[in-house]
Amino acid sequence: MILNLFFKMSMGEFGEAVSSFVGDTEDPGFMSTLKILMLLLVVSSVTRAIFWFAFNRNLSAILTVLGIAVAVFAVFYFLMVELHSPNSSQHVITMADNAPSNLDNYRAQGKTAFVVGYTGETGKELVKELSRTKIFDKVTLIGRRKVEYDSDLLKDFNVEQKIVDFKTLEESADLFQGHDVGYCCLGSYAEGDEGYERVDRDYILTTANLAKQGGTTHFHLVSVRGASPERTPLYYRIKGEVEEKMKSMGFDRLSIYKPGLLMCDREEIRPVQWILQKLFTPVVFFAPYVAPGVGPVPTTTLATALVHVTAAPQQQSLEILEGRDIHRLGNSS
């Protein structure tokens, strides 16, 4: 049993490994116990830290205790969520295992693609990965501004940039004609409620509609972990609503990616995400092996996953790829 546990952990199936060791993860009693332990841990640690500081006035000691408490709390939290994260399907495992041969076979088909949102962090990495793998005969970048790429990226890479105004995107419908594959990496995390509705809903749905009308058969949507029409936070609700509308558009193949915290070096400053990235930087190394279902995802990993899914033969019309799937696909060679 112990050897089996370590084998599953080494393969990135941490949730499955713990599940096989402790029993049924759907047992509400087990999950309730974990929650109680987490609460007791935090309460006892904070109480101890307060008394320690009150009697010793040792700030470094209290910070150490609180730091340990937060770390252990995070471990319990990731454990709880990871236990409820579904393991990768056989379809995803097959795509990852066959990635090299799939790329070669797909490259020979002479297809074309467009990328919307190529100026964002995920879009930038996707363009680099498309340049590296060269699986398309031509790639069209559709966005609001032109990006100057270095000569190494453009070498033997047939790419063209088209500048549009997203407020009147329908007037540029001709740019979406004749592409086999479409990638949508649009997002407006820092723009507030109006930005969510305009960019994360209106612009994305318009892009998808124009792609469908233009003949795109395989559409990729970068969404977010936790997106649902039932969620209270507007950002997650809009993302969820867009996902549901996408499913009814009738693409031959729709791939939806739902990563957690994206790890990258952003040009603009997002204070909360910056702090979280600094805290989670050490976790990125272990995430594929310890908590791939809920851990942070580097944008480079997501970009690689996008390309590997593209090249994989279609087995189903709808693919929803969570963090575990993205790590498996993005780290396959």
Side-chain angles (χ1 to χ4, degrees), residues 90-111:
Q90 186 58 48
H91 172 51
V92 172
I93 295 173
T94 300
M95 285 195 293
D97 291 344
N98 298 334
S101 60
N102 287 340
L103 292 174
D104 291 335
N105 294 334
Y106 194 88
R107 192 178 295 114
Q109 297 178 31
K111 296 191 175 185

Side-chain angles (χ1 to χ4, degrees), residues 50-62:
I50 291 174
F51 275 99
W52 196 339
F53 181 70
F55 288 104
N56 298 308
R57 301 290 179 179
N58 190 332
L59 184 59
S60 61
I62 188 174

Side-chain angles (χ1 to χ4, degrees), residues 197-214:
E197 295 175 350
R198 184 178 67 255
V199 180
D200 293 270
R201 183 186 64 198
D202 299 343
Y203 292 176
I204 289 177
L205 290 176
T206 300
T207 296
N209 279 317
L210 293 176
K212 177 62 180 173
Q213 295 169 16

Side-chain angles (χ1 to χ4, degrees), residues 26-48:
E26 297 298 326
D27 178 9
F30 173 72
M31 297 308 297
S32 296
T33 301
L34 274 181
K35 293 177 182 178
I36 293 172
L37 286 174
M38 291 171 63
L39 181 60
L40 290 175
L41 170 69
V42 173
V43 172
S44 63
S45 298
V46 172
T47 302
R48 183 179 180 184

Side-chain angles (χ1 to χ4, degrees), residues 197-254:
E197 295 175 350
R198 184 178 67 255
V199 180
D200 293 270
R201 183 186 64 198
D202 299 343
Y203 292 176
I204 289 177
L205 290 176
T206 300
T207 296
N209 279 317
L210 293 176
K212 177 62 180 173
Q213 295 169 16
T216 296
T217 56
H218 188 183
F219 194 85
H220 300 259
L221 172 66
V222 177
S223 187
V224 65
R225 181 178 180 273
S228 170
E230 308 301 322
R231 291 289 299 275
T232 299
L234 182 63
Y235 178 72
Y236 293 98
R237 186 170 72 250
I238 287 178
K239 288 288 191 182
E241 291 172 351
V242 168
E243 289 180 15
E244 293 304 312
K245 290 181 179 179
M246 286 280 190
K247 295 174 185 178
S248 63
M249 286 188 177
F251 286 104
D252 291 354
R253 185 179 182 185
L254 174 63

Side-chain angles (χ1 to χ4, degrees), residues 292-319:
V294 297
V297 177
T299 50
T300 51
T301 300
L302 177 56
T304 302
L306 282 158
V307 172
H308 285 175
V309 171
T310 302
Q314 179 176 354
Q315 294 187 18
Q316 52 202 49
S317 59
L318 175 63
E319 299 162 314

Side-chain angles (χ1 to χ4, degrees), residues 4 18 31 49 58 63 76 81 87 129 138 140 183-184 191 251 278 303 312 314 332:
N4 183 50
V18 177
M31 297 308 297
N58 190 332
L63 291 177
F76 271 103
V81 182
N87 292 315
E129 188 65 14
K138 182 178 180 180
T140 301
Y183 298 97
C184 185
E191 294 189 21
F251 286 104
K278 295 304 178 183
Q314 179 176 354
S332 57

